[in-house]
Amino acid sequence: EMLIKKFTFNGFQENTYVLSDTKGNCVIVDPGCYDRYEENELIKYIAKTKLKVNAVLNTHAHIDHVLGNQFVLSRFPVPFYLHMDDISTLQAVPNYANLYGFGGYKPSPAPTVVLKGGEPLKFGEMEFKVFHTPGHAPGHVVFYNEKEKVVVNGDVLFKGSFGRVDLPGGSMKLLKKTIFDIMFALPDDTVILCGHGDDTTIGHEKKTNYINDF
């Protein structure tokens, strides 16, 4: 049984996930904590539940999803996973952090594990398959746990909508292909953990998502 804890952080209301197994192993996905209060909230949860951090995973490297990378990785020296096509996205963050009001951004370390897509990942009892899902960001990935029927989907799909495509490296054509070929091929009862907003399911989005109107 995988436990899912969601935090909503920073001005973009980004969802950071701590996923843990019954033995206390956990991974932190898209740490978006920015201020001291948010950092403490995350650390307090990990301490209180006595979790052992195994890795930091980024679905992609836009600023709102990586604000806490440096903090978390200095606190827990664990492997950091990012897709190769989003290394440049990560490297660009310091150039525009000020524009978005994040003047105190502490630059993220480089990934220690570079993903290509297709990899199986195992942390304690949790198993994920990595799918490369470009469109919102060139190196966007999702982490699919088949046994738990959960996909950590970053900013590919939202409840009723989908990730924006007007940022550098974004493409509507690619995002549509990602959603129809990869996401909608998952079982209907798969829960989608979104990078912003509420959870949803694949079945619900197949029926109601307005990507179908494009």
Side-chain angles (χ1 to χ4, degrees):
E1 184 79 355
M2 183 170 77
L3 191 66
I4 298 163
K5 173 71 176 170
K6 171 168 130 179
F7 297 90
T8 303
F9 286 147
N10 72 58
F12 286 93
Q13 298 286 284
E14 179 268 353
N15 294 330
T16 294
Y17 294 95
V18 178
L19 310 174
S20 54
D21 69 12
T22 56
K23 300 216 164 86
N25 297 290
C26 79
V27 294
I28 302 172
V29 187
D30 291 352
C33 45
Y34 177 60
D35 61 28
R36 186 68 49 79
Y37 175 79
E38 290 176 345
E39 291 172 350
N40 284 340
E41 214 188 326
L42 182 63
I43 291 300
K44 270 200 318 233
Y45 171 74
I46 288 168
K48 194 181 78 202
T49 48
K50 298 186 168 59
L51 294 176
K52 180 182 185 303
V53 181
N54 287 209
V56 170
L57 311 177
N58 279 170
T59 57
H60 65 299
H62 287 146
I63 189 165
D64 48 329
H65 292 256
V66 305
L67 280 165
N69 276 6
Q70 199 274 342
F71 170 75
V72 171
L73 288 161
S74 59
R75 182 62 65 105
F76 307 104
V78 294
F80 160 38
Y81 292 71
L82 180 71
H83 191 277
M84 56 184 189
D85 293 350
D86 242 34
I87 292 173
S88 56
T89 311
L90 184 67
Q91 288 166 341
V93 175
N95 306 336
Y96 68 80
N98 278 345
L99 295 174
Y100 283 101
F102 297 112
Y105 171 68
K106 302 188 239 358
S108 169
T112 48
V113 183
V114 176
L115 297 167
K116 294 188 166 75
E119 296 91 341
L121 303 180
K122 194 170 178 352
F123 307 103
E125 304 163 333
M126 300 177 289
E127 294 185 27
F128 301 93
K129 184 161 188 204
V130 179
F131 293 105
H132 180 213
T133 51
H136 174 66
H140 200 299
V141 296
V142 301
F143 302 101
Y144 173 52
N145 186 326
E146 186 176 11
K147 193 168 124 251
E148 299 283 339
K149 300 183 170 177
V150 169
V151 62
V152 190
N153 125 111
D155 291 357
V156 176
L157 280 167
F158 301 125
K159 193 170 187 175
S161 80
F162 47 85
R164 51 192 288 192
V165 293
D166 59 339
L167 298 167
S171 157
M172 188 67 195
K173 191 171 162 231
L174 270 180
L175 190 65
K176 273 190 76 166
K177 188 170 163 47
T178 282
I179 289 171
F180 288 110
D181 295 359
I182 299 173
M183 303 305 292
F184 286 176
L186 297 173
D188 280 359
D189 58 352
T190 305
V191 173
I192 306 173
L193 301 181
C194 304
H196 304 267
D198 296 333
D199 314 345
T200 181
T201 64
I202 293 290
H204 184 75
E205 295 315 307
K206 273 187 183 165
K207 285 206 277 294
T208 60
N209 196 295
Y210 88 112
I211 191 78
N212 294 302
D213 304 334
F214 279 79

